[in-house]
Amino acid sequence: MFSFSITAIAFGVVFLAELPDKTALAGLMLGTRYRASYVFAGVAAAFAVHVALAIAAGSVLTLLPHRLVQAVVGILFLLGAAMLLLKKDAGDEEVKPPADQSFWKVSGAGFMLILVAEFGDLTQIMTANLAARYDDPVSVGIGAVLALWAVAGIGILGGRTLMKYVPLRLITKIAAAVMAALAVFSLYEAIAG
């Protein structure tokens, strides 16, 4: 069963949470040095793996009692909002790109970079939370992977331009506010449920 509204929610939450992340900046850096399509292929494949792992973890959570899951999800959303507001900028990290410009070398470097950097990242945790909250792994998975691919595309193709017009702090605050609202809603359902 596919739900456009759940896909849109997952897209919005994951997109806003990932936009100020270090991987968008790493994608930007790789995209400025190598063919964008090669970089995107590797990054997109790594994000698909991460979403599949997050959906699997979220689906396991749905086996627990509903009130307990809502309480845990609410707390994790609150922690995610706090992490966004309190984290330090990671724009100074240096990423070593491959010396070879072939498709397999460039896409492999992008894949490995994202696979390692994003494991257990906030957006992976948020995707698992959304999968548990809505019990609709297909809709959440589609929304999350499209959001991650969109951020990767923005980072690779137009990150510098976006950052000129939209301050990173504003994007971070919007993402934190959305996660805080989801936390309040989840905790309310846990208590009232």
Side-chain angles (χ1 to χ4, degrees), residues 41-59:
V43 168
F47 277 135
V49 170
H50 276 283
V51 168
L53 292 172
I55 294 298
S59 297

Side-chain angles (χ1 to χ4, degrees), residues 1-189:
M1 179 166 107
F2 176 77
S3 167
F4 183 76
S5 60
I6 292 173
T7 299
I9 289 169
F11 181 92
V13 169
V14 173
F15 182 86
L16 288 172
E18 186 65 22
L19 199 55
D21 197 51
K22 64 190 173 294
T23 53
L25 299 171
L28 170 72
M29 192 214 65
L30 287 172
T32 60
R33 295 182 183 177
Y34 297 102
R35 181 177 281 175
S37 60
Y38 291 5
V39 174
F40 184 78
V43 168
F47 277 135
V49 170
H50 276 283
V51 168
L53 292 172
I55 294 298
S59 297
V60 169
L61 287 177
T62 62
L63 301 175
L64 299 172
H66 181 71
R67 291 178 105 181
L68 176 63
V69 170
Q70 293 301 357
V72 169
V73 167
I75 291 167
L76 289 174
F77 273 129
L78 278 177
L79 290 173
M83 285 172 61
L84 275 177
L85 291 173
L86 300 174
K87 79 175 185 174
K88 300 204 182 336
D89 292 332
D92 298 330
E93 294 179 22
E94 182 64 30
V95 179
K96 285 256 188 198
D100 186 356
Q101 296 265 348
S102 74
F103 172 80
W104 293 110
K105 294 284 185 177
V106 173
S107 62
F111 179 84
M112 290 308 295
L113 173 70
I114 297 303
L115 193 66
V116 172
E118 288 292 307
F119 196 78
D121 193 56
L122 176 63
T123 52
Q124 192 175 34
I125 294 167
M126 291 297 105
T127 301
N129 286 347
L130 289 166
R133 168 135 186 37
Y134 292 109
D135 195 17
D136 188 349
V138 172
S139 300
V140 171
I142 290 171
V145 82
L146 289 176
L148 292 167
W149 289 354
V151 171
I154 289 169
I156 292 166
L157 298 176
R160 288 183 184 164
T161 304
L162 178 68
M163 295 305 186
K164 286 180 185 175
Y165 299 108
V166 181
L168 188 59
R169 290 193 189 281
L170 176 62
I171 294 167
T172 302
K173 287 180 182 177
I174 291 170
V178 169
M179 280 190 249
L182 286 168
V184 169
F185 187 69
S186 294
L187 290 171
Y188 172 77
E189 280 193 343

